[in-house]
Amino acid sequence: MQNLRSALITAATASLLLSPSTVIAEELLVGKACPVSYQQENIDILVFSKEWYHSSRDNASYIASDNATGVGLEIHLFANKAGHLTGDNTARCDQYRLLQVRSTTARLFDGESAVQIDVPDEFDNPFYDNAPLEHGYGMHLTPEDDRDKPWSGRPTRASTVAIYDTPYVSDAYGVEGKNINVQFETCVVCEQEDRYDTLLACGTWGYTRDYMGGSTGWTEPEFTGVQCNATPSTTFQQALIRSHRVEYAYWLDWRTSSQAVTR
């Protein structure tokens, strides 16, 4: 896995220069690299960046300040060395998507559930890589808004699909006497126009703000780390099946990749 990380960092660094006039941007800082398998063969890598912290999507830094309320991650799927669907596309995917479920102990907005697909109500599919959520495909610039990012400007990234997530929970949405726990499960979906969709791998991550009591409220976030999983959890599956906030417009094969539909 260390060799995979080194290769990813080298590839990301090499892709930062778009033209002679482009300023070299910050490289992707890898926090965790999860293998993605198809029919018992490692084909892709799902990369979670080093986490950073921010204060309600402002003043971002890799070190949490006393007023920090949330964390940030960039999550990249590298389907092959070039970050494209051609070449080593062993699973024969027409498109890769990233689908995410959120679980929280914080107070909820109207219509929200403690466990739900992590997209706005108005979305017509459950994927996170959709506008206005921050995402990118292939060679792309990071999102315009850098106030909740630990860099300035728009560094270049090269991956098959990427999302940039900066969740937070302000003190106003904490429940008195309880810690604020927020967890995410991010899964790779292989889409095919004439086949079942297949979930290939997932990573879980999140953060905790401990309750301090009195006027102190809650501590700055503590990142809980990333755990790699070959298949989605039961919680993830149930969140998608039970969702009334967004309809899933495509067939989905929830079986493991080794049991996927024969081609």
Side-chain angles (χ1 to χ4, degrees):
M1 187 60 70
Q2 185 61 41
N3 290 337
L4 290 176
R5 292 189 182 189
S6 299
L8 284 171
I9 294 173
T10 300
T13 304
S15 69
L16 294 177
L17 205 57
L18 281 177
S19 69
S21 61
T22 303
V23 176
I24 295 179
E26 291 189 39
E27 66 182 32
L28 169 62
L29 300 180
V30 178
K32 184 81 169 184
C34 297
V36 180
S37 298
Y38 176 77
Q39 296 183 345
Q40 300 181 340
E41 178 184 353
N42 288 343
I43 58 170
D44 307 331
I45 306 171
L46 183 61
V47 174
F48 295 80
S49 73
K50 175 178 171 57
E51 76 280 0
W52 66 84
Y53 303 87
H54 57 93
S55 177
S56 301
R57 300 207 172 105
D58 203 357
N59 298 319
S61 171
Y62 284 113
I63 299 176
S65 62
D66 291 340
N67 63 346
T69 58
V71 303
L73 278 185
E74 47 180 312
I75 304 173
H76 296 265
L77 174 70
F78 291 86
N80 51 59
K81 294 179 181 178
H84 301 295
L85 291 178
T86 57
D88 300 330
N89 186 12
T90 305
R92 300 180 184 177
C93 305
D94 293 309
Q95 186 174 6
Y96 284 100
R97 311 298 300 270
L98 293 177
L99 196 161
Q100 187 163 277
V101 164
R102 183 209 69 186
S103 306
T104 182
T105 60
R107 298 184 191 277
L108 303 172
F109 292 102
D110 290 342
E112 285 193 322
S113 301
V115 180
Q116 66 179 39
I117 300 171
D118 191 28
V119 294
D121 285 336
E122 65 271 15
F123 270 35
D124 60 4
N125 66 64
F127 302 114
Y128 198 98
D129 53 300
N130 265 319
L133 300 178
E134 295 179 329
H135 67 284
Y137 302 108
M139 181 77 76
H140 64 275
L141 299 175
T142 59
E144 291 185 13
D145 186 3
D146 61 4
R147 294 174 303 171
D148 57 359
K149 314 296 189 303
W151 58 76
S152 297
R154 303 186 68 187
T156 304
R157 297 287 188 255
S159 55
T160 305
V161 58
I163 62 175
Y164 300 82
D165 198 5
T166 52
Y168 72 94
V169 177
S170 62
D171 288 10
Y173 282 88
V175 177
E176 194 75 17
K178 295 183 178 180
N179 296 340
I180 298 172
N181 296 308
V182 185
Q183 293 295 312
F184 298 90
E185 185 170 0
T186 309
C187 295
V188 178
V189 178
C190 169
E191 281 195 326
Q192 295 178 302
E193 292 183 3
D194 59 349
R195 306 281 183 171
Y196 285 111
D197 291 357
T198 305
L199 275 142
L200 299 179
C202 305
T204 57
W205 57 280
Y207 62 96
T208 299
R209 298 188 63 199
D210 291 336
Y211 180 70
M212 299 292 287
S215 59
T216 305
W218 289 264
T219 63
E220 66 275 10
E222 180 179 354
F223 188 66
T224 56
V226 176
Q227 296 295 321
C228 303
N229 301 302
T231 57
S233 67
T234 299
T235 298
F236 185 97
Q237 298 181 44
Q238 291 177 344
L240 190 58
I241 293 170
R242 297 175 180 176
S243 176
H244 299 291
R245 301 172 63 248
V246 57
E247 294 294 331
Y248 186 52
Y250 307 93
W251 286 18
L252 186 64
D253 182 5
W254 285 109
R255 294 171 293 177
T256 62
S257 56
S258 62
Q259 298 173 308
V261 176
T262 303
R263 288 160 178 78

